[in-house]
Amino acid sequence: MKRQFALGLGAAAVVLTIPFANKLPVVAGLFHADAAIAKSMQHPKVQLDLMGEKQIISKDAQGKETITWQGGNQLAVQSGDVLRYRLMGKNAGDRPIKNLTLNQPIPKGTVFVLNSAKVAVNSTARITYSIDAGRTFVEAPTVQVTLPNGKVETRPAPAAAYTHIRWNFPNTLAANAPVNAEYQVKVR
């Protein structure tokens, strides 16, 4: 029987609350990188840091747009800003871990940016998504839509329906091996 270790960084590592009043920029301590340790009955340890960054779009002298990411503990965010969350860590234990799973909720007050979830280039992780508060995960969530003529169609779920992202690393994660994942959200 295969064992699977799950790690959720939601409430335990970071609580994201973005208050918006009159659409003014808000300064919030959204991006403090806290460490979380996952342990199982066999004591494997995965140390993860969750880092948040704000997308900055600027133009160079030729008018070409460039994208950079600004981190820090205190950033002003407002409606429409794009944030990138990065899970960076490693197997901090002295033995390999099989079937590591990372779960990450889409923070309240934000909408998932479709196709933004990634892992390191050499990773074989499978990325799945939930649109039902983390109860089920699939690679391409769908919803039933009733058309004006009464016909029901299955369509891709809109970005606003996504509630969680899951990365499953099916291969063995060796001791001290890195694990990295990221995704983007847009502030409502």
Side-chain angles (χ1 to χ4, degrees):
M1 178 170 145
K2 288 187 178 179
R3 288 213 163 123
Q4 183 170 340
F5 301 101
L7 175 65
L9 292 178
V14 173
V15 175
L16 175 65
T17 305
I18 305 175
F20 291 98
N22 301 326
K23 296 187 179 183
L24 295 175
V26 177
V27 177
L30 302 176
F31 303 113
H32 181 64
D34 290 320
I37 301 290
K39 296 182 180 182
S40 79
M41 291 185 286
Q42 293 183 346
H43 305 292
K45 298 176 187 175
V46 177
Q47 180 180 353
L48 290 172
D49 292 319
L50 177 63
M51 231 175 85
E53 301 166 307
K54 178 181 167 181
Q55 184 183 65
I56 306 295
I57 299 175
S58 56
K59 292 188 179 186
D60 63 17
Q62 292 76 31
K64 182 180 175 185
E65 283 189 353
T66 58
I67 296 175
T68 57
W69 296 94
Q70 178 184 16
N73 290 337
Q74 298 287 320
L75 291 175
V77 299
Q78 59 188 359
S79 182
D81 284 346
V82 174
L83 308 175
R84 175 175 69 180
Y85 286 95
R86 296 189 302 156
L87 298 164
M88 299 175 296
K90 68 177 182 176
N91 176 355
D94 58 359
R95 67 182 97 186
I97 298 174
K98 293 181 182 178
N99 292 320
L100 175 68
T101 297
L102 304 177
N103 293 321
Q104 185 65 30
I106 304 301
K108 291 182 189 226
T110 67
V111 174
F112 177 62
V113 174
L114 294 175
N115 302 314
S116 68
K118 300 176 183 171
V119 292
V121 175
N122 59 350
S123 175
T124 60
R126 179 175 177 234
I127 302 172
T128 55
Y129 307 93
S130 177
I131 60 172
D132 61 5
R135 288 185 293 278
T136 61
F137 287 84
V138 295
E139 288 184 24
T142 59
V143 293
Q144 300 292 314
V145 177
T146 303
L147 303 176
N149 66 4
K151 184 179 176 184
V152 176
E153 284 187 355
T154 300
R155 294 191 178 168
Y162 285 59
T163 61
H164 291 75
I165 305 168
R166 174 177 282 171
W167 295 268
N168 177 259
F169 298 85
N171 294 339
T172 300
L173 185 65
N176 294 310
V179 59
N180 297 299
E182 69 177 60
Y183 68 101
Q184 295 175 21
V185 296
K186 189 171 190 176
V187 178
R188 292 182 191 252

